[in-house]
Amino acid sequence: MPILDVSRRLLSVPWRLLFRHWFTLASCLFGVFVTPAGVAVQTIGGLTAVDGIKVGHYTLASRPTGCTVVLVEAGAVAGVDVRGGAPGTREVALLAPTRTVQQVHAVVLAGGSAFGLDAASGVVRYLAERGIGYDTRVARVPIVPAAILFDLGVGDDPTIRPTAECGYRAAEMSTAGLVREGNVGAGAGATLGKIAGSGRAMKGGIGSASVVLPNGVTVAALVAVNAVGDVIDSDGQVVAGVRTENGLGLADARTLLRAGTGRLGRPGENTTIGVVATDARLTQAQATVMAQMAHDGFARALVPSHTPSDGDAIFALATGQLSASPDISTIGALAADVMSQAVVRAARAAVGIPGYPAARDLRVGP
C-alpha cells in the first residue's frame, strides 16, 4: 500500500484513538506486525502500553542489583497471587478482595532479598511528597506493595543491596515510554537455570510484553526472571537455562529432572516476580483472578516453576481507563500469554556478566 494511502487512512481516524493506540499504529506503519481485522494486535510498548502506568528502573553501579518501580499515580485496583515456596513481599495482605483499601499507587520489584523491600519506602516518600495516597483524613498514605528476588550471590559484596534511595530514584526516572529490558533494575542481578548449581547458571533479567484487543482493551506484563528453572519459548525450545558441564551448551532442565540428576537448590535463593496490567475496569476480586491466571505464563515459560526454592509472585493492576464491561476470562488468559512472552524476552534481552553468560552468548534462539 502506498505511504500516501496509509497517511490518508490514518487521518480519517479520530485523534483520541490515534493517541490511545499509538504503539499499535506505529507497528502497522513500519510493518512490524500484520494482523487481520478483529484479531488482537501485539504491541511494542510493554507494560506502559496500558494507560496510566509508568515504569522506572534504578540499577546500582557497585554490584549487579537494583529495583523496578511500576507507578500508577492515579491509583489502580490491584490483586496478587503468590505461588512460590519462599516469597519476600510487602503489603500483600491488603490486596485481598475482602480488605478495605481497593487501590494501590505503585508496585516495587527489587533485588537484594528481604533487604530490598526497603526500596518501597523510597517510593512511598516520592508519592507522599506529591500528595498521592489513600486519604486517611489527616494524611494521604501511599499504598505500595512490593516483592523481592534473591541476588545476593551475584557480584563481590552482598552487603550492597537496594535501599529506600534506590526506590526513590527509580520513581523519579519512571516514564510512560518503552520499557527497558535486560540487565536493569530488579533484573540487574537476576540469574536462571540453577538446577545444577550456580556454576552452570545463566543471566536473567527484565522482560515486558503487551497486546491490544479489537475492543481497545490492553493487557500487558512485566517480569524479573530469577528462576531456578529454564526459560522455554512457545515452540518448546530452551532459550536459556542450565548449561552443559563444559558450559558451552544447554543441558535442558527437563532432561536432568527426568534423569534424576537435577537439584532445586536452597529455598529462597531464586524467585521470579512480575506485574500484569490492563486498562479495563476490574473489581479487586477480578484483579486477583487475573493474577492467578497470569501464573500460567510462568508455568509455560519456566521449567520448573513455583518450586519450594522460588518465591514466585505476580501482582495485577487495573487502571480502569476503559469503562466497557470486562471479560475476565479473556483478560486472564491474555495475561498468561503476555507473561510467558515477557519471560522469554527477559532471557533474550539479558547481557552476560562474569560467571553468568546470557542466551546471546550461547547463540540460543533468534
Side-chain angles (χ1 to χ4, degrees):
M1 179 183 293
I3 295 295
L4 183 58
D5 289 346
V6 174
S7 300
R8 286 173 177 168
R9 287 173 181 264
L10 288 176
L11 289 173
S12 68
V13 179
W15 283 107
R16 183 182 65 82
L17 191 59
L18 271 176
F19 286 113
R20 172 72 177 79
H21 297 300
W22 74 271
F23 290 118
T24 305
L25 291 167
S27 299
C28 294
L29 270 176
F30 293 103
V32 179
F33 303 104
V34 179
T35 60
V39 178
V41 177
Q42 191 72 37
T43 77
I44 59 174
L47 194 71
T48 52
V50 176
D51 284 347
I53 287 182
K54 297 193 294 185
V55 173
H57 304 292
Y58 187 72
T59 307
L60 277 65
S62 49
R63 185 179 77 81
T65 190
C67 62
T68 296
V69 174
V70 178
L71 281 184
V72 276
E73 293 162 301
V77 173
V80 67
D81 190 41
V82 180
R83 298 277 180 94
T89 58
R90 162 194 162 120
E91 297 268 50
V92 297
L94 62 77
L95 299 181
T98 56
R99 300 298 187 260
T100 300
V101 176
Q102 295 291 299
Q103 291 193 328
V104 305
H105 306 98
V107 173
V108 176
L109 309 179
S113 190
F115 300 107
L117 290 173
D118 193 31
S121 297
V123 181
V124 169
R125 177 164 63 91
Y126 172 89
L127 292 167
E129 288 175 353
R130 289 154 180 80
I132 297 170
Y134 179 76
D135 190 358
T136 64
R137 185 174 58 83
V138 295
R140 290 189 176 273
V141 180
I143 307 300
V144 183
I148 51 83
L149 55 82
F150 185 93
D151 61 5
L152 297 178
V154 179
D156 299 325
D157 188 354
T159 65
I160 298 172
R161 49 249 184 172
T163 62
E165 183 62 22
C166 177
Y168 191 93
R169 295 285 295 275
E172 281 187 318
M173 298 170 69
S174 65
T175 172
L178 299 181
V179 176
R180 294 172 58 207
E181 300 177 296
N183 299 24
V184 294
T191 55
L192 52 85
K194 290 162 277 190
I195 200 169
S198 60
R200 289 165 62 181
M202 293 180 67
K203 188 68 182 70
I206 293 286
S208 195
S210 57
V211 66
V212 179
L213 288 168
N215 64 0
V217 171
T218 301
V219 181
L222 180 146
V223 65
V225 179
N226 187 59
V228 70
D230 289 3
V231 172
I232 311 296
D233 68 16
S234 58
D235 296 323
Q237 300 299 308
V238 180
V239 175
V242 57
R243 289 176 287 150
T244 53
E245 291 186 11
N246 65 8
L248 301 178
L250 293 169
D252 196 329
R254 296 167 294 189
T255 299
L256 297 184
L257 287 169
R258 290 168 183 167
T261 57
R263 57 184 187 276
L264 296 181
R266 297 176 60 184
E269 294 190 358
N270 301 286
T271 296
T272 297
I273 48 180
V275 178
V276 290
T278 182
D279 47 12
R281 185 171 296 175
L282 303 182
T283 65
Q284 199 162 40
Q286 290 172 322
T288 301
V289 170
M290 183 182 181
Q292 292 171 342
M293 294 180 71
H295 272 283
D296 288 352
F298 280 6
R300 293 171 195 164
L302 294 170
V303 177
S305 59
H306 306 129
T307 75
S309 299
D310 292 293
D312 298 341
I314 296 177
F315 297 95
L317 301 173
T319 64
Q321 299 287 330
L322 298 182
S323 59
S325 298
D327 179 350
I328 187 58
S329 295
T330 298
I331 290 173
L334 288 174
D337 190 25
V338 292
M339 180 57 80
S340 65
Q341 293 174 31
V343 169
V344 172
R345 288 182 63 89
R348 289 180 172 153
V351 177
I353 60 175
Y356 299 94
R360 63 182 70 194
D361 301 318
L362 269 61
R363 300 185 182 278
V364 178

